[in-house]
Amino acid sequence: MNVLGIIASGVAALFITVALAKVARRAALRPHAPDEPGGRAPRAEALRAAGGATVVLGVGAAAGGALWLGAAGDAASSVAGLLAGAGIAAALGLVHDVKPFRAAFRLPVQTAAAILVVCLAGLSPAAGALAVLWIVLVTNAFALLDHVDGLLTTVGLVTAAGLLACAALGEDSALALLPTALVAGLAGFLLHNWHPARLRVGASGAQFIGFTLAASGALIQAAAPPGRTAWAALPALATVALADTALVLISRRRAARSPLRDTDDHIAHRLRRVRVTVPGTSVLLALWAAVPVTTGTLVYANLLHPAFLLLPLAGTVAAVFALLRIPAYAPPRTTRPRTAARRTTASTTGAAIPSAAFAPRATGPAPGKGTASASARTAARHPTVPPPPTGRSAAAVAAERS
């Protein structure tokens, strides 16, 4: 394993990502002719939404170059499979950015990419099956975090740093190649993705980041020394992403909503409802992720007992139940029946004008048009007010009263 090659790949990923993101940002902010007055050009919006492709290209180019130069050593097949699977996930997300499609098509492609990683890593059938399930689950959990500026980038950066530390402590430290490049790429992209975001991660970047983190964790766990409690330490690194997914599923289940229909019910959305700012939300969730990531890394290094992992787990469960108390859905509209509404309107209007409705010695309308109008109003259940008398002068009325 070439340590200098891995460090060089991280530096290359940083500079490539920053350069590509700067070019994409200039292209997105360049004035174009909008489709309608006050709108944005579709080309600019597409460039902003697919900004995460700069992370894919930067990390992929740096890791691929280091792999070609032999920086991975004996773990070249595992790293190549991981990079190929992440590329498939990124291509899937890019197609989704251009033309969205349902999860029924996304899951088989993710499963095939995970199987490719498992096969090239040489895992046993039992370990391979668990790794495939883990990769698909965690990939989609991290991809769901892409709903607030800078959120997925910061949480992914913290998680990738924990994976880098675990890979450096393991027997096969060549698996640190992808986490190193991902840490550098996300750090460079965060300059353009922080609120207010000039570039967004998009489905391509979200799928790539989630797949790289999930597959790296699965391979690091499979290559962990026998004395390490990797089975408990490494899953803790995905605590925030899994907590957000659990919160969404529980909330939609309680509200009898479809679990596949995305809406504003994630952790960040609920924090925004209690007046937490967008940058504050990203920082708060990054700090939340740092607690289980640090604990899991220390447990993996045998510096803490595995029982300490129960502390961030208990805190996460308590936080999820507290967030469930924040309303996420608008209350259903209650509309009164039309008959009851009209009766209420009629009674309210009639009470407002009692002198006109019950005037003493009021003379009815003249035959013909006035009578037809009054009867029509009564049939429509509107308040009926007698029209003013016609054909009589004020002097005649005064003489009649005297």
Side-chain angles (χ1 to χ4, degrees), residues 122-153:
L123 300 183
S124 62
L130 293 176
V132 168
L133 292 176
W134 171 259
I135 291 172
V136 173
L137 173 63
V138 176
T139 297
N140 290 281
F142 273 100
L144 288 176
L145 292 178
D146 183 29
H147 51 265
V148 170
D149 293 346
L151 178 58
L152 177 58
T153 309

Side-chain angles (χ1 to χ4, degrees), residues 197-360:
R198 279 76 174 179
L199 296 176
R200 292 192 288 269
V201 178
S204 178
Q207 292 290 323
F208 179 81
I209 295 170
F211 192 93
T212 303
L213 294 174
S216 297
L219 295 184
I220 293 172
Q221 181 173 357
R228 303 280 174 86
T229 54
W231 59 271
L234 290 174
L237 273 64
T239 298
V240 171
L242 295 177
D244 182 72
T245 303
L247 174 68
V248 167
L249 293 178
I250 295 174
S251 179
R252 294 176 186 176
R253 175 67 177 176
R254 288 184 173 182
R257 291 172 174 259
S258 172
L260 300 179
R261 185 177 181 180
D262 197 12
T263 184
D264 297 341
D265 54 359
H266 295 267
I267 294 177
H269 296 139
R270 297 170 191 264
L271 292 178
R272 294 286 294 132
R273 286 184 174 87
V274 293
R275 300 183 182 276
V276 180
T277 62
V278 174
T281 300
S282 300
V283 171
L284 185 61
L285 287 181
L287 294 176
W288 182 357
V291 175
V293 166
T294 304
T295 306
T297 304
L298 294 177
V299 170
Y300 184 85
N302 288 332
L303 297 177
L304 286 180
H305 192 272
F308 281 92
L309 291 172
L310 296 176
L311 296 178
L313 177 61
T316 299
V317 172
V320 169
F321 278 101
L323 289 169
L324 283 173
R325 300 178 63 88
I326 301 176
Y329 310 111
R333 295 181 178 179
T334 55
T335 57
R336 293 176 297 178
R338 298 180 63 183
T339 304
R342 287 173 176 173
R343 288 177 179 174
T344 305
T345 306
S347 61
T348 305
T349 310
I353 48 174
S355 57
F358 304 99

Side-chain angles (χ1 to χ4, degrees), residues 21 47 117 202 279 389:
L47 288 173
V117 173

